[in-house]
Amino acid sequence: MIVKVTPEATLRDIFSGALNPSLIFSGCLLLLLVCVHAPLTSAAPLPDFTDMVQENSAAVVNISTVAKRDDTEASGRPQIPELPGDSPFHDFFRKFFEEQAPGNPDAPPRQAASLGSGFIISTDGYVITNSHVVADAKEIIVRLNDRREFVAEIVGADQRSDIAVLKIDGNDLPVVKLGSSVDLEVGEWVLAIGSPFGFDYSVTQGIISAIGRSLPNENYVPFIQTDVAINPGNSGGPLFNLDGEVIGVNAQIYSRTGGFMGLSFAVPIDVVLNVYTQLRETGHVTRGWLGVLIQDVTRELAESFAMDKPHGALVAQVLPDSPAAAAGLEVGDVIVEYDGTGIAFSSDLPPLVGNSKINTKVPLKVIRAGTRKTLKVLIAELPEQNKLARAQNPASPTAPANAMKVLVRNLTDTQREKPGMPEAGGIIVENVMPGPGRAAGIRRGDVILMINNEDVTDVSQFEQLLDELPRARSVPILIQRGGAPTFLALKLPENDEEE
């Protein structure tokens, strides 16, 4: 029997029993087929990387370096792996390492061999890799996947970006296709080719996890963060997009074990190409320099500076004789825009400054005491030894516990002679008791330089400034700790009896 399901067959008809069982069965079957089939037809297929790997593997290289080590070098002493005494490998490794020991006259000359990756960028043999892969190398061997080997020379290396340029003698060499890192988006598929742990031409894939990451050891590079499996030996290798274009150079991983933990970082290809061009033309890399020490704006600091939300780079110190000082930047200014680009986090600023052309004037928008100002700064070259002139601070008498619950003294002449102390002004914290000061992060030994945008000259003036501070509202306080200035947000209670 053929049963026809019509629009008139409503759910009310089905559940009220008005329709016969055959019609109900046919309707449910049709509904089930639609539900099962819908996600299958709408799901996007996973990317197929096979063609990309075949097209690009020839231009990816394995890099090994060899350097002789002095037998007296303690760090070069081979160490026996920790193995159980009943392990079948225990005697083997013990015998091997005893033979290699420096005191053994039959031991062969010890050499250090590091392993990394790279890629060929020009048909005449220019190769990109990481600076740390070839650091202190006496000999560099570049091996292609067709097993050809070349001895490479270092054209130049830049430690700040961790990029090095090598040159091998060859013609009509395979090259990678270069992309751009400007329009990258979080969630894009990416692929890496390299030699992790010496396993040549291993391929791993993942997605872009974040862009513009600033790492503690390098704030001039806006790193690409991915979840691509990167391990020792992948360093210097290419990171590809789905178009088969190199969009980064794999450089670092975050790991507590030495192996991959889901966080890897690549130098954006636009940064790489800038470094590559400068190293080829001049042998070194120049970067723009502003001359400020900066920090993030927290919610409490934003409130203290009368900002509607936290953003920008808070100036904690202006270095003397710097472009910033010449342009009129002041401590407490919040840089919210640089050359037309908004600054959301303090880490956004250094890459922009570093990529600026030397001796060019750049507009800078700052918030100063709640008012927006535009300044023009003439960018200088970042010094080779970026010695930050730290202001210096110490002086003498004692002060009782105050509204901040801190004990402070004026700086003595002897204290001011120590590195990292201000020549004038500032008071030193002798003790911190439970209260607003401790809650703000004040520590013993800190030097208080400024409070609520007012310079602190001595203890008595500091006490007066404290008495004038608004209550139950965050105000900025500038301290110097370990030679580095830092803003903290201080909030005094409504009355001194409050905890």
Side-chain angles (χ1 to χ4, degrees):
M1 180 180 76
I2 300 175
V3 179
K4 183 178 181 182
V5 180
T6 65
E8 287 75 17
T10 63
L11 287 175
R12 182 181 298 174
D13 295 329
I14 292 174
F15 291 108
S16 65
L19 297 179
N20 61 49
S22 298
L23 184 59
I24 295 174
F25 175 77
S26 301
C28 291
L29 182 61
L30 179 62
L31 182 62
L32 180 62
L33 289 173
V34 170
C35 292
V36 171
H37 183 64
L40 294 177
T41 56
S42 61
L46 292 174
D48 184 353
F49 296 105
T50 53
D51 290 341
M52 186 192 310
V53 173
Q54 291 173 5
E55 293 171 2
N56 291 285
S57 290
V60 180
V61 300
N62 173 284
I63 296 175
S64 58
T65 64
V66 180
K68 291 183 179 180
R69 281 182 173 172
D70 184 357
D71 280 346
T72 61
E73 184 183 347
S75 61
R77 185 181 299 276
Q79 300 295 319
I80 301 176
E82 294 183 6
L83 296 171
D86 58 354
S87 169
F89 297 104
H90 185 274
D91 289 339
F92 169 79
F93 279 114
R94 181 180 57 79
K95 183 175 182 296
F96 173 79
F97 280 99
E98 285 177 355
E99 290 176 351
Q100 304 296 314
N104 185 354
D106 297 325
R110 287 183 289 117
Q111 295 180 328
S114 69
L115 200 63
S117 305
F119 54 93
I120 304 173
I121 200 172
S122 67
T123 57
D124 58 346
Y126 282 93
V127 177
I128 298 291
T129 188
N130 281 149
S131 174
H132 75 261
V133 169
V134 296
D136 302 321
K138 290 188 177 180
E139 185 179 42
I140 303 170
I141 306 298
V142 172
R143 186 171 71 249
L144 280 60
N145 73 341
D146 62 7
R147 305 194 68 176
R148 283 185 291 171
E149 292 188 358
F150 300 87
V151 176
E153 294 182 356
I154 299 178
V155 175
D158 177 49
Q159 291 184 355
R160 284 188 178 274
S161 62
D162 197 16
I163 294 297
V165 178
L166 310 180
K167 179 67 171 67
I168 58 177
D169 291 330
N171 295 304
D172 298 324
L173 295 171
V175 297
V176 295
K177 183 168 61 172
L178 300 176
S180 173
S181 49
V182 173
D183 298 320
L184 295 179
E185 295 185 1
V186 174
E188 283 188 47
W189 284 96
V190 283
L191 175 139
I193 303 177
S195 302
F197 299 111
F199 293 105
D200 294 355
Y201 300 98
S202 296
V203 179
T204 52
Q205 54 79 29
I207 62 169
I208 294 177
S209 305
I211 53 178
R213 286 289 196 222
S214 178
L215 301 183
N217 57 340
E218 181 45 65
N219 55 10
Y220 280 92
V221 176
F223 285 96
I224 304 167
Q225 179 187 329
T226 77
D227 67 350
V228 177
I230 300 297
N231 285 291
N234 277 113
S235 293
L239 185 71
F240 294 95
N241 61 16
L242 283 182
D243 294 326
E245 300 170 331
V246 177
I247 50 93
V249 175
N250 297 310
Q252 298 189 40
I253 60 173
Y254 175 83
S255 175
R256 294 177 178 174
T257 64
F260 177 66
M261 292 185 66
L263 291 170
S264 54
F265 300 91
V267 182
I269 193 63
D270 292 334
V271 174
V272 174
L273 292 178
N274 180 26
V275 171
Y276 166 74
T277 301
Q278 292 194 57
L279 289 177
R280 279 199 61 177
E281 292 178 354
T282 66
H284 69 280
V285 177
T286 60
R287 289 181 174 85
W289 181 53
L290 187 58
V292 292
L293 297 184
I294 55 175
Q295 67 181 83
D296 265 332
V297 178
T298 63
R299 179 176 60 83
E300 294 80 9
L301 285 172
E303 177 188 341
S304 71
F305 287 116
M307 298 169 63
D308 56 350
K309 65 176 183 179
H311 66 290
L314 174 58
V315 178
Q317 184 175 358
V318 178
L319 301 186
D321 302 321
S322 67
L329 254 72
E330 298 179 2
V331 171
D333 285 350
V334 180
I335 302 172
V336 294
E337 187 176 300
Y338 180 87
D339 200 15
T341 301
I343 306 297
F345 300 95
S346 61
S347 59
D348 296 338
L349 183 61
L352 295 173
V353 176
N355 288 329
S356 299
K357 291 184 178 180
I358 311 302
N359 296 323
T360 58
K361 279 201 170 184
V362 174
L364 207 65
K365 290 187 178 179
V366 303
I367 295 176
R368 179 181 296 169
T371 303
R372 284 183 174 257
K373 292 181 175 291
T374 300
L375 305 174
K376 288 260 186 167
V377 57
L378 181 65
I379 298 299
E381 181 178 346
L382 181 68
E384 281 293 327
Q385 301 295 330
N386 191 11
K387 296 178 180 177
L388 305 177
R390 318 271 188 185
Q392 284 129 358
N393 351 119
S396 72
T398 313
N402 41 49
M404 278 178 60
K405 305 299 182 185
V406 295
L407 185 67
V408 291
R409 287 179 179 270
N410 291 324
L411 290 166
T412 65
D413 292 339
T414 302
Q415 286 174 318
R416 291 190 187 280
E417 292 173 358
K418 296 180 180 179
M421 299 298 255
E423 295 178 359
I427 55 176
I428 191 166
V429 177
E430 292 279 306
N431 196 14
V432 182
M433 289 151 278
R438 179 176 291 183
I442 300 289
R443 302 178 191 171
R444 180 180 179 182
D446 287 348
V447 176
I448 301 175
L449 301 175
M450 182 183 289
I451 187 167
N452 202 22
N453 298 317
E454 294 282 345
D455 291 330
V456 174
T457 57
D458 54 36
V459 170
S460 60
Q461 184 249 7
F462 169 72
E463 298 288 345
Q464 182 180 347
L465 290 175
L466 274 184
D467 291 339
E468 297 171 356
L469 286 183
R471 299 299 179 111
R473 182 173 71 82
S474 295
V475 297
I477 180 169
L478 180 65
I479 59 106
Q480 187 148 307
R481 178 181 299 159
T486 301
F487 271 103
L488 300 174
L490 172 71
K491 182 183 286 189
L492 297 181
E494 287 285 356
N495 55 72
D496 294 338
E497 284 72 35
E498 292 184 22
E499 290 291 332

